[in-house]
Amino acid sequence: MARYRYPVPPSHEITPRELYAQRRRFMKQAAVVLGAAALPGLFPGSALAWRDRVSDVAPGRFNTDEALTDRETATSYNNFFEFGTGKEDPKRHAQQLRTDPWSVRIEGEVDRPGVYTLEDILKPHDLEERIYRLRCVEAWSMVIPWVGFPLGDLLRRFEPTSRARFVELETLHDPEQMPGQRRDILDWPYREGLRLDEAMHPLTLLAVGMYGEVLPNQNGAPLRLVVPWKYGFKSIKSIVAIRLVEDQPVGSWEASQPREYGFYANVNPNVRHPRWHQATERRLGERGRRRTLMFNGYEEQVAALYTGMDLEKHF
């Protein structure tokens, strides 16, 4: 498999750690539990170990010094149609979702396919905090401190074959737990896809936490994707399958409304959505609107992925 090299972003864009001072009190209390969990035979195979890791992580290379979106807003204003179409529906209905135990299928063009528990998925990876901008195609945006690790690190473990060109991801399909799936809003289960080099880019994150805590159900627990230079619908939630394929996959929104939701879904203020103007956005918690940045402000890091492409045609 080809190796990819990408420019490293400016190192000065790091949010002051004072923003998280309140978390340190909890971390000191958790230290006793963390120490006990490290003892052989204690809490064997438990999800507790990885959940504790979420609250004590180092800041990653990729951050922004912009003001964070209020946690209450970020966990109450969500698109997660598996739980309803209203912004408040996910928080209202997602609490019934069972996220432990959880497993993920790794399949397709890989040398090591299989079904892996979430603990198996996370165990070899160091978690880190990354503060990313999140931009929705509906023209609102947030700034969120995620906790996770690069998707590319996971893919390398399972050794993609030379035929792997794309990555397709799939959300849990369980209408009993996810009442929105009882309606034909989309062709369930929800699916999304990336080009392999997009998936391997170091900015592409598999998240298990936010704001120093385990992901809330309404935000995609226990495992979701975060691709900060793309519109939010690419950030598939509650992932149960990661499939490497040779042909370009069709995402659920692309299949439903191809004129509005393209495969690439790069934040591009020059491509007008049929229903929403994209040149500006509403940052939740701010008054007024702000100018939308190309690739959501990550142009320096990702523009090379699309050299020579017509980004109005490949939107």
Side-chain angles (χ1 to χ4, degrees), residues 197-232:
D197 57 350
E198 295 176 319
M200 299 294 287
H201 193 283
L203 278 174
T204 304
L205 192 73
L206 280 175
V208 294
M210 58 190 296
Y211 295 90
E213 301 174 357
V214 173
L215 276 177
N217 286 2
Q218 64 268 27
N219 290 91
L223 186 68
R224 67 168 287 163
L225 186 69
V226 183
V227 191
W229 72 93
K230 293 182 179 288
Y231 291 114

Side-chain angles (χ1 to χ4, degrees), residues 1-6 152-153 156 160 196-197 200-202 305:
M1 188 180 71
R3 295 182 180 272
Y4 302 95
R5 296 182 181 273
Y6 302 95
D153 289 355
R156 291 184 189 94
L196 182 59
D197 57 350
M200 299 294 287
H201 193 283
L305 293 174

Side-chain angles (χ1 to χ4, degrees), residues 20-32:
Y20 307 107
Q22 67 272 21
R23 284 169 40 195
R24 300 305 158 196
R25 292 192 296 272
F26 169 78
M27 286 160 52
K28 290 179 181 178
Q29 296 169 357
V32 175

